[in-house]
Structures are given as C-alpha cells and as structure tokens.
Amino acid sequence: MHFHPLDVYRPGDSLVHRLDPRTKLALTFLFLLTVALIPDRAWLSFGLLEAWLLAIIGISRVGFRAVQRRSALALPFLLPALTLLLVRSGDGGGRVLHLPGIPWPVYEAGLWRFLSIVARSYLSIQAAVLLSTTTPFPDLLWAMRALKAPRLLVAISGFLYRYLFVLADEARRMLQAREARSGALEGHRSGGSVIWRAKVTGAMAGTLFLRAYERSERIWTAMVARGYDGEMRTLSIHALRAMDWRVEIGGGLTLLLILIVARALSR
C-alpha cells in the first residue's frame, strides 16, 4: 500500500514508549476527563496541563513540532464554535466588546466560553496525538479490551483503521487511472463542465463503494473460515510492572490536584 499518513506511530525506546498500553490509555482517559471538568476561564489549570503534556512529549522524544503540527490539523473543526461569540451571559446582559476586524458586537461571556473550548479541544487533541504517536494501534486495541471496552467497538475500530488504508489506496489508483484516460491537447482543458465532472466523481464514489462492499464480504468469509469469534488478538504479551503502577498513580494524583486547584480558584 502507498497511503499511510494516518499511521502516526513513531517507534522509540523512551520511557513513554515502554509503558504498558493500558497505563497510557487509562492516563489519557483521565486527562480528557480532567480537561472536561475544569471550569471555564481556569487559565492557570489549562497552562499546568499544557506544561504537563509538553514535559511528556519531551520525555517521549517524538518531537514537539510533529505533535503540534498534527494537533493543528483538527483546529478548523472548531470554527462552528465561533457562534459562541454572539452568546450573552445567563442573565441576558453582559459586556459588549468591539474587536478589530469583527464587524458585529462580541459578548465577553461568549468570548471567554469560546477561548475555554479552544483550550480544552487543543489539549485533548494533543493528548490523543501523543497516545497514538507512542503506542502501536494493535496495542491500543488490546488495551481497550483489557480495560473492558465493548468488544464490538474494539472490532469496528480495528477494521476501520486496518482497511481505511486499503480504501484510500484503492481511491488513489482510481484517480490515477482517470488521469491516464483524461489526456488533452496542449493549451486545452480536459473534461467537460462542472456538472459533467460531478457525475464522473459520483460514479467513481459509487464504484469505490461497490468495491469496498465486495471486499468486505470476501474478508468476512475468510475470517470466519479461520475461526474468527469477534476478539481482536495480538502476539504481544504485556504485563503491568512497578514502573507502570507508579506512573499511573502519580499521573492520576497530579491530574486530581490540578482539578482541585481549578475548582477552588473558580469559586
């Protein structure tokens, strides 16, 4: 296969790489829970969480730029949250701000709410990117089952990750074949109108769907013939060590302390 941008795992021998997948998955879940429970405008706590993440990124040696670049790819999905700038406070009032470059009035309550959501989202994305960068995906699936995640959810996640690359490579071959059949004289544009191009794109999408459906039938038949029972198994054998327990307990207590500080300062 040629398409692999989604495979973000970076092999390494750092302390973070050597941790048990269950420890990393549990700490990531606790981190996301802490981020969700922190009140709005708790900038000190957001800063402490960011510093904690940056320290772990430094220990993992996967590169600050790599993590930040992949995390920034998700920021455009926060654009719908800009509508919060027009939200007043709960009592219907609130201070009105006139920011440069924005033609409409912005309410202070909505601005703080928007900035808090951006901070929460970016912290959560960084944690997820760090987890996937330092842990192979099969180990993540195994950790999910070990932590009693639903078997169906784990199976769907595994198949989605494994065969998304196959579908992307199939789409790449179809696009390459279309380009090879779309020759044009020099100075002339190939193809037809926008409607014609839309029809061609729709036909390609339909063909890709049919190919994917046929491939899924063949894969399912082959897996059942080989004794598949719904469990995602791996050859890697993991065991919780004393270091894993220390990191998990220490990380959990650190997150709890940050949450307590954030709640106390917000009163």
Side-chain angles (χ1 to χ4, degrees):
M1 291 184 294
H2 305 279
F3 189 86
H4 53 81
L6 297 178
D7 191 6
V8 299
Y9 173 66
R10 292 194 172 194
D13 192 37
S14 67
L15 173 63
V16 181
H17 284 83
R18 295 195 302 269
L19 287 176
D20 190 279
R22 290 168 290 185
T23 299
K24 289 185 278 189
L25 186 61
L27 280 178
T28 302
F29 175 77
L30 291 177
F31 182 88
L32 298 179
L33 184 62
T34 302
V35 171
L37 294 178
I38 285 182
D40 291 344
R41 305 172 64 175
W43 309 121
L44 175 61
S45 299
F46 288 143
L48 292 175
L49 290 175
E50 178 66 22
W52 194 57
L53 268 181
L54 293 178
I56 298 176
I57 294 173
I59 295 173
S60 66
R61 298 194 295 271
V62 296
F64 293 99
R65 180 184 297 181
V67 175
Q68 300 304 326
R69 184 172 61 247
R70 294 188 180 277
S71 301
L73 293 177
L75 289 180
F77 294 98
L78 295 176
L79 291 178
L82 286 172
T83 55
L84 291 173
L85 298 176
L86 308 178
V87 176
R88 301 185 180 187
S89 60
D91 56 1
R95 181 183 174 189
V96 179
L97 304 176
H98 296 279
L99 301 180
I102 300 181
W104 57 82
V106 175
Y107 291 94
E108 185 179 17
L111 176 62
W112 293 130
R113 179 64 173 166
F114 170 74
L115 293 178
S116 298
I117 289 178
V118 171
R120 286 195 184 93
S121 301
Y122 197 66
L123 285 169
S124 302
I125 294 168
Q126 287 181 90
V129 170
L130 179 60
L131 176 65
S132 59
T133 305
T134 57
T135 312
F137 196 77
D139 290 348
L140 282 178
L141 294 177
W142 179 86
M144 291 172 64
R145 281 300 294 147
L147 296 177
K148 305 303 180 182
R151 184 173 65 176
L152 181 60
L153 176 63
V154 176
I156 291 176
S157 301
F159 287 129
L160 178 63
Y161 178 84
R162 188 180 303 273
Y163 292 105
L164 190 60
F165 302 103
V166 179
L167 291 179
D169 203 57
E170 185 74 23
R172 184 196 61 81
R173 289 196 296 268
M174 292 176 63
L175 292 173
Q176 188 176 12
R178 186 192 66 175
E179 293 176 0
R181 292 170 172 80
S182 302
L185 297 176
E186 185 177 356
H188 293 77
R189 183 181 179 184
S190 63
S193 62
V194 176
I195 297 179
W196 179 85
R197 291 175 180 272
K199 291 181 179 179
V200 173
T201 304
M204 292 179 62
T207 302
L208 181 63
F209 174 78
L210 292 177
R211 291 185 181 182
Y213 184 80
E214 293 173 355
R215 186 188 293 268
S216 66
E217 289 289 339
R218 295 195 302 269
I219 291 172
W220 174 254
T221 302
M223 292 179 65
V224 171
R226 289 166 173 80
Y228 176 69
D229 59 356
E231 286 289 349
M232 305 295 291
R233 294 178 173 84
T234 178
L235 295 177
S236 302
I237 300 177
H238 302 281
L240 287 171
R241 302 163 298 172
M243 175 60 70
D244 297 308
W245 285 109
R246 287 196 294 266
V247 170
E248 189 165 358
I249 295 175
L253 292 176
T254 302
L255 293 174
L256 179 60
L257 179 62
I258 294 176
L259 180 59
I260 292 175
V261 171
R263 289 286 182 177
L265 294 178
S266 64
R267 293 178 180 177

